[in-house]
């Protein structure tokens, strides 16, 4: 059974570019989360989907960050335009659906913005 | 708003010595606690989940929850160098909560042979 798959694993972008990160959740999972991880801030929630519906969009990340879930097995996170401060690891996680269920994480996409 | 803090920021122990990590949270109604481990360049793997006061053991990992004091601890018995990683505490209020998992900043554990 495949876990959470994220691509690309590494991305280098120039300031102002648009980048798209991809995530395939565990098959059958209804909840999907995008997190940003930095040494200073730790893990910050960007978006949360339940059954493809956006439940939370991470407040402070609204303006340049857009997560979408076009079908139950695929999600994207678009950052447009990128800024150097967006350099971080972006983690995708999925959960079966019950609120007490554990999250399964992908290995992350490391973004470097020059 | 839930605040989760972990201490120490980093911890070095010798192989085989007990390692103890601390996590404090602010929402006394929290009822869903997990410890995750993250090796460098990898995703998070769950180690132990605990939902009520007391202890929960999973292999060499024991979580100890005391909601009255707003603490959840992780004890690692006989750690090995392969246990060197970032350890993250995650807290949620599943009942009547907003379903949002809040993470601590993490403790970097180094286990030296």
């Amino acid at each position: 059974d495949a876990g959470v798959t994220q691509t690309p694993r590494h991305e280098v972008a120039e300031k102002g570019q648009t980048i798209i990160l991809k995530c395939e959740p565990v098959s059958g999972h209804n909840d999907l989360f995008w997190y940003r991880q930095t040494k200073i801030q730790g893990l910050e929630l960007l978006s949360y989907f339940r059954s493809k519906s956006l439940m939370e969009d991470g407040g402070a990340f609204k303006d340049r960050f857009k997560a979408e879930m076009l079908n139950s097995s695929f999600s994207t996170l678009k950052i447009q335009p990128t800024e150097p401060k967006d350099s971080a690891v972006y983690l995708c996680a999925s959960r079966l659906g019950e609120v007490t269920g554990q999250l399964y994480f992908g290995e992350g996409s490391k973004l470097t913005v020059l | 708003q839930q605040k989760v803090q972990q201490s120490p920021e980093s911890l070095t122990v010798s192989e085989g010595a007990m390692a103890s990590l601390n996590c404090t949270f602010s929402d006394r109604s929290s009822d869903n606690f997990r410890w995750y481990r993250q090796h460098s360049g990898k995703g998070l793997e769950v180690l132990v989940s605990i939902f009520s006061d007391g202890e929960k053991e999973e292999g060499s990992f024991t979580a100890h929850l005391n909601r009255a004091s707003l603490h959840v601890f992780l004890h690692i018995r006989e750690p090995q160098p392969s246990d060197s990683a970032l350890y993250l505490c995650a807290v949620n209020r599943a009942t009547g909560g907003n379903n949002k998992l809040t993470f601590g900043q993490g403790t970097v554990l180094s286990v030296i042979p």
Side-chain angles (χ1 to χ4, degrees):
Chain A
D1 191 20
V4 176
T5 303
Q6 289 188 248
T7 55
R9 291 295 318 277
H10 301 274
E11 178 83 54
V12 179
E14 297 282 341
K15 179 182 170 181
Q17 268 187 280
T18 296
I19 65 101
I20 297 176
L21 307 176
K22 305 178 184 73
C23 174
E24 294 174 36
V26 175
S27 178
H29 280 191
N30 293 314
D31 290 354
L32 185 139
F33 300 79
W34 283 99
Y35 287 91
R36 181 171 81 171
Q37 184 179 28
T38 59
K39 277 196 164 58
I40 296 173
Q41 300 290 341
L43 272 88
E44 301 170 281
L45 180 67
L46 300 174
S47 297
Y48 160 44
F49 292 88
R50 164 153 282 196
S51 300
K52 301 186 293 180
S53 296
L54 183 64
M55 305 299 288
E56 186 154 346
D57 62 7
F61 296 96
K62 273 184 192 174
D63 59 346
R64 296 181 299 107
F65 292 72
K66 186 178 172 69
E68 291 186 310
M69 197 157 185
L70 300 177
N71 61 59
S72 61
S73 57
F74 186 70
S75 176
T76 58
L77 175 67
K78 182 193 288 188
I79 308 175
Q80 178 184 36
T82 52
E83 298 181 6
K85 65 181 179 180
D86 300 331
S87 297
V89 175
Y90 291 83
L91 292 166
C92 177
S94 69
R95 180 174 68 189
L96 189 56
E98 72 280 8
V99 296
T100 56
Q102 71 179 61
L103 295 184
Y104 291 81
F105 282 83
E107 294 197 326
S109 294
K110 184 174 180 180
L111 172 66
T112 302
V113 182
L114 306 174
Chain B
Q1 186 180 347
Q2 173 85 267
K3 289 193 189 330
V4 178
Q5 292 184 298
Q6 291 184 239
S7 62
E9 276 188 30
S10 63
L11 177 66
T12 300
V13 299
S14 298
E15 182 176 354
M18 174 81 81
S20 293
L21 285 62
N22 181 30
C23 174
T24 60
F25 53 95
S26 60
D27 183 352
R28 204 175 289 275
S29 301
S30 301
D31 53 12
N32 189 349
F33 305 86
R34 286 191 168 88
W35 282 96
Y36 288 87
R37 178 172 70 183
Q38 185 181 34
H39 285 108
S40 182
K42 299 293 186 183
L44 280 67
E45 57 172 322
V46 67
L47 299 173
V48 56
S49 306
I50 188 165
F51 308 112
S52 57
D53 285 345
E55 289 193 347
K56 176 80 177 295
E57 185 177 316
E58 295 282 356
S60 60
F61 302 101
T62 300
H64 182 112
L65 174 62
N66 183 332
R67 278 193 286 184
S69 68
L70 300 172
H71 283 271
V72 55
F73 299 94
L74 178 69
H75 303 294
I76 307 173
R77 191 171 53 255
E78 298 183 355
Q80 304 297 307
S82 58
D83 290 317
S84 298
L86 176 68
Y87 287 77
L88 292 159
C89 168
V91 181
N92 187 19
R93 183 157 66 96
T95 309
N98 63 7
N99 218 357
K100 195 163 113 172
L101 205 59
T102 303
F103 286 86
Q105 298 285 80
T107 293
V108 177
L109 176 67
S110 300
V111 182
I112 52 175

